[in-house]
Amino acid sequence: MSFQIPIGPQHPALKEPISLRMTVEGEVITDVDMRLGYNHRGMEKLAEEKSWLQNIYVTERICGICSHSHATCYVQGVEKLMELAPPRRGLYIRYLVAELERVHSHLLWLGVAGHEAGFDSFFMYTWRDREIVMDLLEMISGNRVHYAINTLGGVRRDIDEGQKAKILEGVATLRKRSEYYFYIGANEPSFVARIAGVGYLSKESAIALCAVGPVARASGVARDVRKDDPCAVYGELDFEVATADTCDVLGRVVVRVKELLESYKLIEQMVKGLPAGDIAVKAPRKAKPGEVVSRYEAPRGENIHYIKANGTDKPERLKVRAPTLANYPATVEMLRKGFIADIPLIFAAIDPCICCAERTVTLVAAGSGEESVVRMSDLRRQALARHQNAPVKRNAVWPL
Amino acid sequence: MSDIEIVESLKRDLGEKALDLTNPDVRRIFVKIAPPELVPVVTLLRDKYDCAYLATISGVDKGDTFEFLYHFASPVANINLRTEFPKSEPRIASICAVIPGAVLYERELQEMFGVKVEGIPDPRRLVLPDDWPEGQYPLRKDWKHVRPQEVIPGGKS
Amino acid sequence: MAVVRTLLYLVVYPGLLFLFVYSTFCEWFDRKVYARLQNRMGPTHTGRFGLLQPIADFFKLMAKEDIVPEAADKRLFSILPVVGLAVVATAGLLLPVWNFDLANPGLTSFSGDIIVVLYLLSLPTLILFLAAWASTNPFATIGGARVLTMFFGYEVPLFLAVLSPAILADSWRLAEIAAFYQAKPLLLLTNLLGFIVAVIAVQAKLERTPFDIPHAETEIVGGTFTEYSGKKLALFRLTFDIELVVSSGLLAAVFLGGFPGGAVVGFLHFVVKTLFVIFLLSLLRALTSRIRIDQVVSFAWKYLAPLAVLQLLVTILLKGLLS
């Protein structure tokens, strides 16, 4: 008996909306169909109407988890267009935040993988430790998620000696814990039985389907923009590209944990070798006509922005390709002939970030369907008005 | 292989086909070709230059023409294949036969620019909703969309 | 007077009310242990140490909207939670903690009650399958199929493991088995293998990690319970809680020497020993990840069943040696 089961758009295994339609026969998947677009926000169109500086904050909001990576990729490109040379201290801080973000993203992913496999203890442990790195990021940038530390020509905040010491201390703790997770992830029998051999993606298909990031690296394709196309500081730092050749979810877990350890190494190098000097230079308002391709290794894989300038203070075109989109064809390939039980694991193993993959903002009034672009000041005024008109709830009695 | 070697080699291989060949930055090479040459050149890039990895395809609306950029990446360089065709005849060949991973990018281009990608294995919509009206292509520069009145079943308006 | 006594027996102690209170306490204990193993606090808010949390959860669910899907078999769908609860509560009455008097076997202690308890503990599985099937939801249907598939895996090892101590004690009555091991506590050690097999099989029967496959939320949403809500879901949850108490009580009676010492001391034995079994089950739950359905069946037949047979062999040899 074969029937279709819908995974999504709303499903407990998915943190964001996407629709996977599985045709299953018993427990075995025979066909997979994927529908995207539930989270399309038209970011690319929006970016054409914002200035170079405003677009940093637009790109930062493409994704919640790898917010820094999109902003960095964009800023890198625009700095090339404007022929700016950011000071080295600024660059070091920028990529220090980038590596801390990678740590937080990978720890988050490890927890999610544990949860999808029904291993909730692993989830609780990794997410507890993720708080350490979130606190470090908050200390550096003032925010836990949208760091907003990038600016054209450098970064917005400096770090001092005390913060440096705290970062080193936090990284030392995290390294110890990550080594333990590496041991658990590769040795806990029920967990390994669950992820070994699941979601097989051969090296040939990984290359043919243009997989990126840890998915490609777990299939033995050593593709890492930090090594292949070293932007700014990565050329001067010592690290290795983590790969695995098991081509399955276990390989993806191993690659991510190894990358964690590499990131700790990078963070330590950057903190210890932080050059003195300014953190930013002043950026012009306009960019000369031109085009640039900016690449950056986000936690999930390669991030590529194509930016075209037309001489005004706004971009002519900003094309964003997030790593998740590149991994979708490979996911369909991995899901075929798998078990229902493997769907969440395989899908989670690409570390999907659906709001990254689908970018686009207009407000639509739910009642009338009327579309309007609302200014921030209007929104603020509306919010204040609503707040003032609302009845006072201070002493309200809540009915049982 | 350094950038200069790649550029020289590309000049030899492509000859007249390369309408424009620039190397504006380290590891960034831009090649312009005519649309009919697309599939052969992509095959050449994949087989000879280790460019099996297509990062993405960018579309740009240049007024009267569309410009498509195929961003390839090899371990040593980033080769961007540029091709331009008139807006009046928006069609381009699919490269999915050469690079299977290109299908999602081509689907996105189809619905965003209204370019017919010929020979695409899966021509359905990718990100726009199912009830999106025909003939509306959001990333065209002249696109102005007026949203139709939304009717809520059983609602007042 | 006899009628009142029977009513008290059925409704208050050891009937529904006591089982309700004790099973919610056991759920609280399980949740607390599980949470502490995961670096969390567990329930803290309702009542002292959050003791009342499971009861609060139960009443919250009772107050929620109760939806019966259009396409479902409405009568079957509605009646199954009640039947399930009744079945496990009946099994609870047969535990030798409230009918310890060997000389005067009451209505609920008879030769062969161990078989009846095992049978009554198997019924919820079938009820779950029927519930899933009656709700006609694809996720529930898959969940139901998984319930049955898993049932074929763990049931035989559980029976073999639980029955071998009975063979050694030469009785099919729970109170007599317990009395036998109370007289010769050293013999309990020979059943250690069976105890391990039985704990794992009970974990599977209760559908807890690593065997929470029929309602694996990340795969098939609610699985068997996808369409259940409100009162019916509350009753199903209570069914599982009582099943947890009864199965750990059964394991305690058979493998841990029963509950000697009359009404009060015996009851203390009951509490300590069931909590010990539940602690083991929670430990197993915290330490493992969910496995796949085919892995459950192959694990059950490759490891659990042979181990249970080995236990049976040891028991029979030992019995020959003793007599």
Side-chain angles (χ1 to χ4, degrees):
Chain A
M1 189 175 67
S2 93
F3 57 99
Q4 268 206 340
I5 56 166
I7 304 285
Q10 306 296 331
H11 189 275
L14 303 173
K15 274 74 198 161
E16 291 168 275
I18 186 173
S19 175
L20 302 168
R21 269 161 228 175
M22 306 281 165
T23 310
V24 296
E25 204 152 325
E27 288 272 329
V28 181
I29 304 161
T30 51
D31 199 16
V32 185
D33 185 22
M34 201 178 259
R35 274 294 272 126
L36 314 178
Y38 294 93
N39 213 351
H40 194 261
R41 291 159 290 159
M43 286 273 188
E44 290 178 7
K45 191 79 181 169
L46 183 75
E48 291 171 12
E49 282 157 25
K50 300 264 175 211
S51 71
W52 292 112
L53 199 62
Q54 285 172 328
N55 269 330
I56 301 175
Y57 303 99
V58 172
T59 48
E60 190 153 34
R61 272 142 190 86
I62 288 176
C63 180
I65 298 169
C66 47
S67 57
H68 187 71
S69 66
H70 281 285
T72 306
C73 194
Y74 169 78
V75 165
Q76 249 172 222
V78 178
E79 280 168 358
K80 283 242 172 76
L81 275 177
M82 293 179 169
E83 291 162 356
L84 284 175
R88 291 197 1 105
R89 187 178 176 90
L91 283 178
Y92 263 70
I93 294 175
R94 179 184 293 169
Y95 292 99
L96 173 69
V97 173
E99 289 306 317
L100 284 171
E101 183 194 61
R102 191 183 315 278
V103 170
H104 120 68
S105 174
H106 279 354
L107 281 175
L108 176 134
W109 182 83
L110 277 177
V112 170
H115 176 64
E116 306 284 13
F119 195 8
D120 280 349
S121 307
F122 198 51
F123 165 64
M124 298 291 171
Y125 274 75
T126 48
W127 279 45
R128 176 197 61 182
D129 293 343
R130 181 167 160 262
E131 285 304 310
I132 299 177
V133 68
M134 298 288 269
D135 288 346
L136 289 180
L137 281 167
E138 189 183 1
M139 179 187 75
I140 297 173
S141 69
N143 291 309
R144 278 162 63 89
V145 177
H146 286 125
Y147 317 117
I149 197 157
N150 279 326
T151 189
L152 297 177
V155 291
R156 295 176 54 230
R157 279 169 173 243
D158 204 352
I159 59 176
D160 61 23
E161 289 303 318
Q163 288 174 329
K164 275 184 181 176
K166 272 191 184 151
I167 294 171
L168 289 178
E169 192 187 327
V171 165
T173 318
L174 281 171
R175 172 174 286 146
K176 227 184 307 160
R177 302 256 172 91
S178 304
E179 275 160 5
Y180 177 61
Y181 300 144
F182 192 45
Y183 175 75
I184 298 262
N187 288 296
E188 211 291 308
S190 65
F191 191 52
V192 170
R194 194 67 178 67
I195 57 176
V198 166
Y200 185 79
L201 181 73
S202 66
K203 190 172 179 180
E204 291 72 37
S205 0
I207 293 173
L209 295 171
C210 303
V212 294
V215 177
R217 289 197 281 274
S219 290
V221 185
R223 186 181 283 159
D224 190 329
V225 177
R226 291 179 293 172
K227 242 344 179 222
D228 299 344
D229 195 0
C231 40
V233 301
Y234 286 115
E236 323 164 354
L237 300 172
D238 166 45
F239 70 102
E240 278 159 31
V241 179
T243 55
D245 46 13
T246 48
C247 308
D248 54 6
V249 178
L250 177 62
R252 284 159 221 154
V253 172
V254 169
V255 163
R256 285 197 171 93
V257 183
K258 276 189 189 166
E259 266 177 29
L260 276 179
L261 299 172
E262 291 299 322
S263 283
Y264 301 145
K265 224 160 82 182
L266 280 170
I267 292 167
E268 280 175 354
Q269 288 175 38
M270 281 194 268
V271 171
K272 283 177 185 155
L274 192 66
D278 284 339
I279 54 166
V281 292
K282 193 164 166 30
R285 214 163 55 80
K286 292 178 181 175
K288 274 186 259 168
E291 58 185 349
V292 71
V293 174
S294 173
R295 302 167 75 200
Y296 171 79
E297 185 75 18
R300 297 172 169 76
E302 183 192 340
N303 208 338
I304 182 162
H305 286 206
Y306 169 73
I307 308 163
K308 196 174 167 72
N310 55 6
T312 63
D313 60 345
K314 289 172 184 150
E316 163 89 8
R317 175 89 171 95
L318 169 66
K319 163 80 187 173
V320 177
R321 200 277 276 131
T324 306
L325 190 68
N327 276 333
Y328 281 150
T331 316
V332 172
E333 169 78 15
M334 288 186 261
L335 284 169
R336 272 202 191 111
K337 300 289 163 218
F339 290 92
I340 295 176
D342 298 337
I343 297 170
L345 264 178
I346 295 173
F347 192 65
I350 68 166
D351 199 356
C353 182
I354 288 139
C355 62
C356 276
E358 303 168 10
R359 313 138 310 269
T360 304
V361 173
T362 46
L363 294 177
V364 181
S368 59
E370 192 182 320
E371 194 168 342
S372 57
V373 177
V374 182
R375 286 165 171 281
M376 199 58 210
S377 50
D378 289 350
L379 211 60
R380 190 175 144 74
R381 214 178 46 237
Q382 281 178 14
L384 285 176
R386 173 174 291 186
H387 189 70
Q388 278 159 3
N389 294 338
V392 182
K393 286 218 177 111
R394 212 170 300 130
N395 299 319
V397 180
W398 294 95
L400 189 70
Chain B
M1 236 187 329
S2 73
D3 290 354
I4 300 163
E5 283 164 11
I6 296 175
V7 169
E8 289 304 317
S9 167
L10 274 173
K11 267 185 189 153
R12 250 179 285 122
D13 287 335
L14 295 178
E16 288 294 297
K17 287 185 206 163
L19 305 175
D20 184 26
L21 189 57
T22 52
N23 182 12
D25 203 345
V26 196
R27 293 183 294 274
R28 297 281 185 280
I29 295 162
F30 287 82
V31 188
K32 185 169 183 181
I33 54 162
E37 305 292 344
L38 180 64
V39 178
V41 173
V42 170
T43 318
L44 174 86
L45 282 181
R46 183 192 69 175
D47 295 340
K48 192 170 168 189
Y49 293 89
D50 197 13
C51 283
Y53 169 47
L54 174 73
T56 188
I57 309 173
S58 306
V60 183
D61 182 356
K62 294 180 84 175
D64 298 329
T65 52
F66 283 128
E67 186 183 82
F68 277 13
L69 285 110
Y70 293 75
H71 305 284
F72 288 93
S74 77
V76 287
N78 176 229
I79 302 179
N80 303 287
L81 208 57
R82 186 203 306 272
T83 179
E84 202 169 344
F85 49 91
K87 224 175 186 176
S88 52
E89 207 181 326
R91 54 184 72 236
I92 187 107
S94 166
I95 60 163
C96 286
V98 189
I99 294 179
V103 60
L104 288 180
Y105 310 132
E106 289 188 343
R107 278 170 69 181
E108 191 179 353
L109 286 175
Q110 272 205 129
E111 64 183 37
M112 287 300 180
F113 288 96
V115 175
K116 175 102 184 72
V117 180
E118 285 165 342
I120 185 168
D122 183 2
R124 289 174 311 162
R125 285 224 169 102
L126 183 72
V127 287
L128 292 181
D130 288 335
D131 57 354
W132 188 260
E134 288 293 324
Q136 302 277 356
Y137 304 116
L139 280 183
R140 287 192 179 187
K141 285 280 178 194
D142 54 1
W143 180 74
K144 278 279 176 287
H145 177 53
V146 185
R147 200 183 175 95
Q149 184 83 19
E150 210 167 286
V151 183
I152 298 168
K156 277 177 189 161
S157 57
Chain C
M1 196 61 205
V3 178
V4 174
R5 270 189 64 143
T6 316
L7 264 182
L8 276 181
Y9 192 82
L10 285 180
V11 178
V12 182
Y13 179 86
L16 280 174
L17 200 63
F18 166 73
L19 278 178
F20 175 71
V21 173
Y22 189 59
S23 65
T24 49
F25 171 72
C26 285
E27 188 194 330
W28 171 85
F29 179 74
D30 173 45
R31 277 166 73 168
K32 205 79 182 169
V33 170
Y34 186 55
R36 290 312 294 153
L37 287 171
Q38 290 183 343
N39 271 312
R40 291 187 291 122
M41 289 308 289
T44 51
H45 187 70
T46 324
R48 189 155 266 253
F49 312 119
L51 266 168
L52 297 179
Q53 189 62 48
I55 297 178
D57 287 352
F58 179 79
F59 284 113
K60 183 204 76 178
L61 269 180
M62 288 300 267
K64 292 280 172 195
E65 189 187 359
D66 192 355
I67 303 163
V68 180
E70 275 294 307
D73 183 340
K74 293 194 182 57
R75 225 181 297 161
L76 196 61
F77 186 84
S78 308
I79 201 141
L80 283 169
V82 183
V83 177
L85 185 62
V87 164
V88 288
T90 315
L93 295 182
L94 301 178
L95 288 180
V97 62
W98 16 83
N99 38 41
F100 45 84
D101 192 357
L102 272 182
N104 179 21
L107 203 61
T108 53
S109 180
F110 46 87
S111 184
D113 58 1
I114 183 171
I115 305 288
V116 177
V117 171
L118 280 174
Y119 166 74
L120 288 176
L121 285 181
S122 298
L123 273 184
T125 312
L126 298 173
I127 286 165
L128 272 187
F129 165 74
L130 278 179
W133 198 258
S135 52
T136 62
N137 174 306
F139 295 118
T141 313
I142 292 175
R146 287 178 171 192
V147 167
L148 273 197
T149 318
M150 230 166 66
F151 180 70
F152 290 120
Y154 64 76
E155 200 67 4
V156 173
L158 178 66
F159 272 43
L160 288 177
V162 172
L163 293 186
S164 45
I167 291 172
L168 189 61
D170 208 8
S171 164
W172 294 117
R173 194 178 148 202
L174 278 169
E176 279 175 13
I177 299 171
F180 173 80
Y181 286 105
Q182 279 153 27
K184 296 172 185 152
L186 270 183
L187 281 179
L188 282 174
L189 289 176
T190 59
N191 294 328
L192 200 61
L193 196 60
F195 182 60
I196 294 166
V197 172
V199 165
I200 295 172
V202 162
Q203 184 86 340
K205 185 184 267 306
L206 294 168
E207 293 176 9
R208 291 146 59 90
T209 328
F211 305 105
D212 56 345
I213 304 159
H215 52 88
E217 67 191 24
T218 50
E219 295 159 21
I220 49 171
V221 192
T224 36
F225 303 128
T226 308
E227 293 291 351
Y228 276 93
S229 55
K231 297 181 195 67
K232 303 192 179 83
L233 185 62
L235 288 184
F236 262 133
R237 288 182 46 134
L238 186 63
T239 307
F240 268 102
D241 285 347
I242 297 183
E243 202 181 348
L244 176 67
V245 173
V246 176
S247 13
S248 49
L250 176 71
L251 293 194
V254 175
F255 292 103
L256 301 179
F259 322 106
V264 178
V265 183
F267 182 72
L268 286 179
H269 270 274
F270 173 70
V271 171
V272 170
K273 282 174 182 171
T274 45
L275 288 186
F276 172 67
V277 175
I278 291 169
F279 178 73
L280 288 183
L281 293 174
S282 305
L283 208 60
L284 207 58
R285 178 165 157 222
L287 291 182
T288 50
S289 85
R290 186 192 309 126
I291 54 181
R292 242 183 359 241
I293 186 79
D294 57 320
Q295 288 169 336
V296 175
V297 179
S298 68
F299 170 74
W301 286 103
K302 273 185 195 154
Y303 302 101
L304 283 189
L307 282 179
V309 171
L310 187 69
Q311 170 68 50
L312 201 62
L313 210 68
V314 169
T315 309
I316 291 171
L317 286 179
L318 199 66
K319 198 170 159 67
L321 212 68
L322 283 179
S323 58

